[in-house]
Amino acid sequence: MRSEPQPHPDPRLLPVTALNGIGAQSAARLEKLGIRHVQDLLFHLPLRYQDRSRITPLNQLLPGTTALVCGRVEFTDQIQRGRNSVICRIADGSGGELSLRFFHFSVQQSQQLKPGIQIGCFGEIRYGFAGLEMVHPEYRLVDDPAQLIEHTLTPVYPLTEGISQSALRKAARQALALCLQSRSAIKDWLPAELLQSRDYPSLQEALQTLHTPPPQLSGQILSATPLPALRRLAFEEFLAHHLALLQGKLAYKQWPAPVLHLDAPTKQAFLAALPFRLTAAQQRVAGEIEADCRQNRPMLRLVQGDVGSGKTVVAALAALAALSSGYQTAIMAPTELLAEQHFRNFSHWFAAAPTRILFLSGQLKGKPRQHTLQALADGSAGIVIGTHALFQDSVHFHKLGLIVIDEQHRFGVHQRLALREKGQTGGLRPHQLIMTATPIPRTLAMLQYSDLDISVIDELPPGRKPVATSAISSERRAEVIGRIEHWVAQQRQAYWVCTLIEESEALQCEAAEKTAAALRQALPNVRIGLVHGRMKAAEKEAVMQAFKNRDCDLLVATTVIEVGVDVANAGLMVIENPERLGLSQLHQLRGRVGRGNQDSYCLLLYQAPLSQTGKQRLAILKQSNDGFAIAEKDLELRGPGEVMGTRQTGQIQFKIADLERDRELLESIPAAAQTILDRHPEIIQPLIERWIGRSRHYAEV
């Protein structure tokens, strides 16, 4: 009886162990590079290329270049002085000579390189003691120089320990050949109209070009402008991430959500009790949030507003709508200082509300913590404000209807999702309001926050004066200290911010402590407080309260005060080493002053000499108080990776696309995504799975 023919396995999905030369050990090492299947090798692109398409005569070699050469060994000598090395001199009859130097060598290797042997080498040319040389070149013995010539540029791949270039090149060539054998193996999901409108090659052409580019592309492929083949893959990857976020948003919006209604009398009473009036921009954004919360589908909204634009009170109106509708609100902030600031504001604004407002952080222990958890679980607390402690397993809500997250980019996205999961009661999902005082450049917002509707508070409260900003060399430190003494004599307060390049909190705190000690010695008549991230919550609170109560004149702090400190009488800020921070972070810090109706100043105490870029950045800060304009300049000067903080957990990571190199592609992504949603919805899932896989934690639903 004949057995049924087995279906031919899809070569893309074959494990890498199906390739010649890849065993279990090599597969485990490749997995560190994210390579598990044959398809993964196709999208593991070279970092750069080497041109081995021609042999360069030795008399034409130039230092600082790489070259493929071929010559006969004239002599080999072992040098004993200094570091032991083997020197091998070759010549090719062109009149030129080249030394090959090996510091790591075996006896067999030195014996192999005997006079008269023909050898081919590839490496970088540099000046040595006896003229031009190559140090540790790739080499092999050859009978015919033609054996050395490669008819495509040689790829240089990102590696991991235990995997050599030659092994990865061999595996990539096999993967490409396997997938090209079957037309269906490399499926081009992008619609023809998208490819044609951008003059992009097919996926097969793009991959072939990038893994095995012909020598005539050498000039293009080594230039700063990416090839159409690379742009095409970056475009597809951006598109996949954008579609994943949109799909997550659409799926989340399918869930029912509590309808939060705020009646006019309750709203008017709340606004009338505030010590200020809302700006037109605040009223507009509050209206957008109200309209979202009245729907039976969950709100997903990001509120951007410059430092001091009044985002918190807009969030308070949303919390009022939740309270009025019988639901709880959770407000999560990245630092205890900011959470404590929100707690004070909300406690004041909701003093007359028939509910409890609680604070929850990791510092809360014992019975106070148990009482807080009980109040959240039984519903007697309508609003809770805290840090990441809000999404711990022990926290349970009675009826969570609204989540407010401040400075979301400081959390991993999975933390936001963990808090959201706590609101799933009775089949309902909570509304989400995200706030940030870090203006996000438009192109980056289109990618990173395409799962959110975006509102912008683009107006500052009346009476706010721009902060006058000056850059002063640290050589004039004594002059700056004298200015503080004069400032305090006028009954005004000041900040002194310490920054360090090191990310170690301990080192930053130590620097702040030393600075505070030095300033106390220099300013004996000035009351100096100190605040940093390693102090206990109660200690920080005591210092901050003293500063607010004017019992402290000068507050020395780390960048922990970047957000959440609001003292109207503090109108002077000194920032040490501002060249070490991004423009947006400097702007955030500067926003701690200028919160009253008096003139305010920010002094940038830099270390000379400044680089050209450093001068540019400080000049931008001096010239502008517009956070959005500053964010765009920050993007130009530092690049998207630093502006978006891609090292943080939960930020989008790319295999091929590069935010710096491919930034201009972002403009066209939303329109392309809409085309696919409208006309080709069937390709969305395959695209997402190709580039992201099934684990899309930032787009989970």
Side-chain angles (χ1 to χ4, degrees):
M1 183 176 175
R2 282 179 58 186
S3 60
E4 290 293 319
Q6 294 298 309
H8 193 277
D10 185 338
R12 296 170 303 163
L13 305 180
L14 287 172
V16 287
T17 49
L19 302 174
N20 292 332
I22 305 293
Q25 191 176 46
S26 293
R29 289 168 175 165
L30 286 171
E31 195 163 348
K32 293 177 184 176
L33 295 169
I35 299 170
R36 297 174 186 84
H37 300 100
V38 168
Q39 177 176 258
D40 298 330
L41 277 163
L42 299 180
F43 293 94
H44 186 73
L45 295 187
L47 290 166
R48 60 184 186 278
Y49 300 88
Q50 299 168 345
D51 189 349
R52 305 187 188 198
S53 62
R54 58 181 290 269
I55 295 172
T56 303
L58 297 182
N59 66 346
Q60 294 179 21
L61 294 178
L62 296 171
T65 62
T66 54
L68 177 68
V69 299
C70 186
R72 292 197 179 274
V73 176
E74 292 191 320
F75 70 85
T76 298
D77 193 13
Q78 190 166 330
I79 309 297
Q80 299 292 339
R81 65 178 180 274
R83 290 175 65 190
N84 281 359
S85 62
V86 164
I87 297 288
C88 174
R89 176 73 60 80
I90 64 170
D92 63 355
S94 67
E97 291 182 330
L98 180 68
S99 295
L100 312 177
R101 184 184 293 271
F102 301 92
F103 290 106
H104 308 287
F105 57 91
S106 64
V107 174
Q108 182 185 8
Q109 186 180 10
S110 59
Q111 290 173 349
Q112 187 184 47
L113 300 174
K114 54 189 178 184
I117 288 291
Q118 187 165 242
I119 184 174
C121 306
F122 183 86
E124 184 180 354
I125 311 299
R126 70 177 200 182
Y127 279 119
F129 293 115
L132 296 180
E133 69 176 15
M134 278 186 185
V135 177
H136 280 287
E138 294 179 44
Y139 76 92
R140 62 180 168 132
L141 309 185
V142 291
D143 296 322
D144 181 359
Q147 295 173 269
L148 299 169
I149 294 175
E150 297 186 8
H151 300 292
T152 63
L153 297 178
T154 304
V156 179
Y157 292 97
L159 295 177
T160 189
E161 189 177 354
I163 298 291
S164 66
Q165 279 296 342
S166 58
L168 198 44
R169 284 172 192 151
K170 181 182 175 184
R173 281 196 300 269
Q174 286 184 74
L176 199 60
L178 259 179
C179 291
L180 292 179
Q181 284 170 11
S182 167
R183 289 194 173 192
S184 61
I186 307 181
K187 182 70 175 174
D188 204 335
W189 294 115
L190 290 190
E193 64 260 37
L194 282 183
L195 294 175
Q196 289 165 7
S197 65
R198 290 162 178 77
D199 200 23
Y200 286 156
S202 69
L203 181 60
Q204 180 176 317
E205 290 172 315
L207 290 171
Q208 224 169 344
T209 297
L210 292 167
H211 284 286
T212 57
Q216 58 265 33
L217 283 183
S218 180
Q220 283 178 269
I221 211 159
L222 301 175
S223 72
T225 306
L227 283 172
L230 186 58
R231 290 170 64 83
R232 181 247 191 271
L233 292 181
F235 176 83
E236 184 176 323
E237 186 173 18
F238 279 150
L239 189 57
H241 280 274
H242 187 78
L243 286 167
L245 286 167
L246 286 181
Q247 195 177 59
K249 176 182 179 179
L250 291 171
Y252 189 65
K253 290 279 191 179
Q254 296 304 309
W255 283 82
V259 175
L260 309 182
H261 181 69
L262 181 58
D263 62 80
T266 303
K267 181 179 178 180
Q268 290 309 316
F270 179 84
L271 293 174
L274 294 174
F276 50 82
R277 296 183 63 184
L278 297 192
T279 64
Q282 285 173 309
Q283 292 176 42
R284 170 175 46 78
V285 171
E288 292 167 353
I289 294 167
E290 271 187 65
D292 282 352
C293 290
R294 282 197 298 267
Q295 306 298 315
N296 63 354
R297 299 297 175 199
M299 167 176 67
L300 288 167
R301 186 167 291 277
L302 171 69
V303 174
Q304 289 192 78
D306 212 341
V307 178
S309 61
K311 298 176 294 300
T312 310
V313 75
V314 168
L317 280 168
L320 184 63
L323 273 179
S324 301
S325 307
Y327 286 91
Q328 295 168 296
T329 297
I331 299 164
M332 185 163 72
T335 66
E336 286 196 25
L337 269 179
L338 181 52
E340 288 158 4
Q341 178 84 29
H342 287 334
F343 179 66
R344 282 191 291 270
N345 284 332
F346 273 71
S347 297
H348 179 65
W349 294 337
F350 286 87
T355 190
R356 294 168 67 190
I357 298 173
L358 300 179
F359 181 80
L360 180 63
S361 77
Q363 303 293 326
L364 195 65
K365 307 287 184 186
K367 285 189 177 179
R369 178 179 173 81
Q370 288 304 317
H371 292 156
T372 296
L373 296 180
Q374 181 60 40
L376 293 177
D378 65 26
S380 59
I383 298 175
V384 62
I385 299 164
T387 58
H388 58 278
L390 288 175
F391 61 81
Q392 291 174 348
D393 291 341
S394 57
V395 181
H396 301 282
F397 293 90
H398 178 63
K399 283 177 73 178
L400 181 61
L402 173 68
I403 295 168
V404 179
I405 300 179
D406 204 359
E407 297 299 336
Q408 186 267 333
H409 68 287
R410 292 167 169 248
F411 294 102
V413 180
H414 64 281
Q415 293 173 322
R416 165 162 68 96
L417 297 172
L419 181 56
R420 186 186 71 194
E421 300 305 310
K422 292 185 175 295
Q424 294 184 52
T425 52
L428 301 178
R429 298 234 172 168
H431 298 281
Q432 288 186 72
L433 180 64
I434 317 297
M435 303 191 300
T436 181
T438 305
I440 304 156
R442 188 176 58 86
T443 50
L444 298 188
M446 285 190 300
L447 183 70
Q448 188 77 2
Y449 298 109
S450 54
D451 60 334
L452 300 170
D453 299 311
I454 296 179
S455 295
V456 179
I457 302 178
D458 51 6
E459 180 183 3
L460 289 177
R464 289 289 297 269
K465 294 184 177 181
V467 179
T469 304
S470 305
I472 299 175
S473 168
S474 58
E475 294 165 358
R476 296 170 60 189
R477 187 185 183 91
E479 187 181 324
V480 171
I481 292 171
R483 184 167 175 176
I484 288 174
E485 190 166 32
H486 177 70
W487 182 262
V488 170
Q490 299 175 66
Q491 307 302 308
R492 300 291 304 278
Q493 292 165 280
Y495 298 99
W496 188 293
V497 182
C498 305
T499 67
L500 276 179
I501 289 177
E502 291 89 350
E503 292 183 2
S504 161
E505 190 179 36
L507 287 173
Q508 291 193 25
C509 298
E510 184 184 344
E513 287 167 351
K514 287 180 178 176
T515 300
L519 288 171
R520 285 187 182 114
Q521 191 170 2
L523 299 166
N525 298 319
V526 173
R527 297 168 299 176
I528 296 173
L530 171 66
V531 125
H532 58 63
R534 291 173 74 87
M535 291 170 65
K536 291 181 179 177
E539 293 174 322
K540 282 187 287 188
E541 174 61 29
V543 175
M544 290 307 307
Q545 203 54 52
F547 194 58
K548 275 179 167 287
N549 295 341
R550 301 195 185 187
D551 296 329
C552 169
D553 305 310
L554 174 64
L555 182 64
V556 178
T558 59
T559 52
V560 71
I561 63 151
E562 179 184 343
V563 288
V565 182
D566 188 355
V567 180
N569 189 52
L572 172 64
M573 174 174 282
V574 178
I575 304 176
E576 276 201 272
N577 307 309
E579 66 276 12
R580 296 174 176 173
L581 301 179
L583 281 177
S584 292
Q585 191 177 10
L586 287 169
H587 179 64
Q588 285 265 62
L589 284 167
R590 179 173 63 178
R592 296 304 110 207
V593 296
R595 303 183 82 83
N597 52 15
Q598 297 175 289
D599 290 336
S600 295
Y601 305 89
C602 179
L603 307 182
L604 306 172
L605 196 61
Y606 66 87
Q607 291 286 342
L610 276 177
S611 65
Q612 194 57 41
T613 303
K615 289 176 184 174
Q616 271 183 284
R617 291 170 63 244
L618 296 192
I620 290 162
L621 208 66
K622 285 163 58 181
Q623 292 159 11
S624 178
N625 275 271
D626 182 337
F628 288 92
I630 287 169
E632 292 291 348
K633 290 291 185 183
D634 208 12
L635 180 64
E636 287 176 26
L637 293 174
R638 287 202 302 156
E642 287 188 73
V643 171
M644 290 180 79
T646 49
R647 287 177 299 176
Q648 294 183 44
T649 306
Q651 299 291 345
I652 295 177
Q653 302 292 324
F654 299 105
K655 293 177 182 176
I656 289 172
D658 181 281
L659 282 167
E660 185 83 44
R661 182 194 65 213
D662 305 315
R663 191 167 84 203
E664 65 188 69
L665 298 178
L666 293 176
E667 291 279 359
S668 58
I669 295 298
Q674 197 58 51
T675 298
I676 289 173
L677 284 166
D678 294 343
R679 301 182 201 167
H680 310 279
E682 72 284 354
I683 73 171
I684 294 174
Q685 200 55 37
L687 266 178
I688 290 171
E689 288 187 13
R690 167 178 286 164
W691 290 99
I692 306 164
R694 296 180 182 273
S695 56
R696 307 194 312 277
H697 62 268
Y698 56 83
E700 284 174 16
V701 294

